[in-house]
Structure formats: structure tokens, C-alpha cells
Amino acid sequence: MSVQWGQAASGICDLLDCGEYKKEEEKSLEKEILRFEQVTGKGRKFRLQNVDFTMKSGYIYGLTGRNGAGKSTLIKTILHEQSRYNGAIYVDGIPVKENYAAACRKIGYVSEDNVFFEKCTAMQNAEALGVFYDDFQIERFCKQMQAFDVPVSKQYGAMSRGEKLKCQLAFAIAHQPVLYLRQRQEWTQYSGFSFLIVCAGWWRTKAAAYC
């Protein structure tokens, strides 16, 4: 498993007018967003051993490796409160182990799993789940759903796979995370890529569309 590449996030997509954030957030580029310090842990089948790396804002990182290399385990170690590991993980300077809720509010996760309520509409999901995020803005969610051409009145369970991913991404954009995590399975000889999009401000919304 390795962090395969880092690519500047600028110019990837212009789905949103991000000018309002540009001047303020350009200063945030190169800020440390995700850091692993000697992380050793074990999932159900896979183990992480002395993982050490830093990711800075304004870049897209690809996590690649063969089956069993530990890509999913690494992401679950960040996201799951019950993860058991030695070492330290920081999201935007917040220690995940000591302040899990605050760290998670900094993360936008787009999953292949159905993480929203199937029988509720996109708007009902946003209203119910948005309250857990301090910076969630329903107007931003609606604007992004419109840009994605997915009706907020549509039931989540009736959406196609692509529409569900767009709904999750719109929700993530609406609470303004500093780190996007998108796990994406591609059936190649390496069988699986995980994209970690590490962005800030107006870069966030541009880079998010890449996943």
C-alpha cells in the first residue's frame, strides 16, 4: 500500500462558483490536514504497521495497493470511533482518538455503502443529519444538488448509484469539510483505489467533483 501521487487540486472542475472563498482560503494552501504518527492497528483481517505520513491541503492523494494491502483498514481507522490502534491520527490538527466527534466534523466521506435513510428524500436526509455538523448549510446542499441535477425531493432509495454518490457529495460540501475521503473500487490488477482529497476553501468544492 502506498500514497501513489499528489496532484494539485486547482482547475479540476468548475461545477460551483467558488470565488467567494478564493481570497480568504488561498492562504490555507499547504496547511497540514491529515497526519498519521506511527499508527499500528488491526482490522478484522488486515493490519497496519507503523504508518507515518502527512497530507497537506490543496492536493488529491491516491492510496493504491493490492487486495489486502490495508487501504480500507486505513480509512476505517480514521472514521470508526471504536478503532483500536497505537500512535496518533490528526485531522486538521485535532487528535482523532481524544476528540473523535470534532475530527469527524472536518471529514466529508463519500461511500459505496448506503449511508443515508433509504425511505427519506434527499432533503429529509439533509435536515435530519445536517444538525450534527456545526457549519452545515442547507442552502449549499440544495445548490449543489441542483448543480448535480438530482432533485432534493427524490427518495434516496429510489436513486441510482450515481445519484446516491452525488447526494452524499452534496451533503459533504454543505458542511464544508477540510478532508474528503472517497473509496472507489476499480477492478484492475491492483483491485482497488482510495482517493483522499485534501482541500481547503474554494479548492474543496472544485476538487470534490473529481471523486
Side-chain angles (χ1 to χ4, degrees), residues 9 31 38-39 49 52 56 69 73 113 116 123 146 174 187:
K31 179 183 178 182
Q38 292 295 300
V39 174
Q49 184 69 40
D52 232 337
K56 295 184 177 182
T73 300
D113 300 324
F116 286 177
M123 178 63 82
Q146 184 178 14
W187 298 107

Side-chain angles (χ1 to χ4, degrees), residues 3-209:
V3 178
Q4 191 72 9
W5 44 266
Q7 175 182 327
S10 60
I12 291 173
C13 183
D14 291 307
L15 282 179
L16 287 180
D17 177 10
C18 305
E20 61 182 296
Y21 306 108
K22 183 173 180 180
K23 291 182 180 179
E24 177 183 351
E25 298 293 349
E26 274 183 324
K27 301 175 183 178
S28 298
L29 294 179
E30 299 296 327
K31 179 183 178 182
E32 182 180 285
I33 297 298
L34 179 64
R35 176 157 51 100
F36 272 56
E37 289 184 351
Q38 292 295 300
V39 174
T40 297
K42 189 176 182 181
R44 291 184 178 180
K45 298 181 180 179
F46 309 114
R47 180 179 180 84
L48 301 177
Q49 184 69 40
N50 296 327
V51 178
D52 232 337
F53 66 83
T54 298
M55 292 184 175
K56 295 184 177 182
S57 62
Y59 290 87
I60 299 173
Y61 296 85
L63 192 66
T64 66
R66 297 183 181 276
N67 282 341
K71 302 181 300 297
S72 296
T73 300
L74 185 145
I75 289 179
K76 289 176 181 177
T77 301
I78 302 171
L79 294 175
H80 291 187
E81 187 173 10
Q82 303 303 321
S83 296
R84 296 181 180 180
Y85 60 89
N86 295 321
I89 302 173
Y90 298 88
V91 176
D92 200 26
I94 300 172
V96 175
K97 193 178 292 185
E98 288 79 8
N99 201 341
Y100 173 79
C104 280
R105 284 194 288 269
K106 298 285 187 175
I107 298 172
Y109 182 50
V110 179
S111 169
E112 296 289 340
D113 300 324
N114 294 330
V115 296
F116 286 177
F117 299 116
E118 292 278 315
K119 294 183 179 180
C120 295
T121 66
M123 178 63 82
Q124 289 169 334
N125 270 288
E127 291 173 341
L129 300 174
V131 297
F132 295 101
Y133 297 89
D134 296 336
D135 297 324
F136 187 84
Q137 293 186 21
I138 197 71
E139 296 83 3
R140 182 175 283 116
F141 172 77
C142 293
K143 181 180 180 180
Q144 188 60 57
M145 289 289 283
Q146 184 178 14
F148 284 153
D149 197 26
V150 181
V152 294
S153 59
K154 190 168 186 176
Q155 189 180 57
Y156 187 74
M159 293 181 184
S160 68
R161 172 183 173 274
E163 288 175 331
K164 287 179 178 179
L165 293 176
K166 288 177 180 179
C167 184
Q168 291 182 46
L169 181 54
F171 183 87
I173 290 172
H175 70 80
Q176 304 179 78
V178 297
L179 170 66
Y180 287 88
L181 297 179
R182 165 77 169 102
Q183 189 166 5
R184 176 174 170 179
Q185 294 298 323
E186 300 287 355
W187 298 107
T188 66
Q189 60 175 332
Y190 290 101
S191 192
F193 296 88
S194 297
F195 292 91
L196 293 87
I197 302 180
V198 186
C199 308
W202 68 287
W203 297 93
R204 288 196 292 248
T205 47
K206 284 180 176 290

